[in-house]
Amino acid sequence: MAELNGKVLPGKILVKPQEAEEKTASGIIIPDSAKEKPQQGKVILVGEAKKEEPMVVKEGDVVLYGKYSGTELSIENEDYLLMSQQDVLYIL
């Protein structure tokens, strides 16, 4: 992954989603059409805190988020999600 040049606005985070599972526990290969959208990822960039909301999430954290959270982006042929810190459900 290349170093990203850019800045995230206050209250927002940029997340690299975890890859979707390729096989089930029993070894069955999952076709692309049946793969679940990942709900876990690693925080790559963090914006500044808002006046009324301190930033709890930091770069490098692994987070869980809602199935339809964030906006999908493609930067330098890599897929990312741009979301609000409020979309994060749990920090691992």
Side-chain angles (χ1 to χ4, degrees):
M1 176 172 47
E3 186 71 25
L4 293 176
N5 296 324
K7 189 174 183 181
V8 179
L9 295 177
K12 302 287 185 186
I13 61 173
L14 188 69
V15 176
K16 174 75 175 147
Q18 183 181 37
E19 295 295 321
E21 293 293 324
E22 300 287 328
K23 292 182 183 179
T24 63
S26 60
I28 298 172
I29 296 174
I30 302 171
D32 287 339
S33 60
K35 287 182 184 171
E36 292 262 343
K37 186 175 176 183
Q39 293 178 271
Q40 179 176 333
K42 184 176 181 180
V43 178
I44 304 300
L45 293 174
V46 177
E48 296 176 14
K50 290 183 174 181
K51 288 182 184 177
E52 66 281 350
E53 179 187 351
M55 290 303 284
V56 178
V57 179
K58 55 188 180 303
E59 288 182 25
D61 284 348
V62 177
V63 295
L64 300 178
Y65 47 86
K67 194 174 223 173
Y68 302 106
S69 296
T71 301
E72 295 178 357
L73 301 173
S74 182
I75 303 170
E76 298 176 6
N77 296 324
E78 293 281 338
D79 293 329
Y80 297 96
L81 283 175
L82 180 65
M83 65 180 69
S84 172
Q85 174 180 248
Q86 295 174 342
D87 291 336
V88 173
L89 304 174
Y90 192 76
I91 301 172
L92 298 174

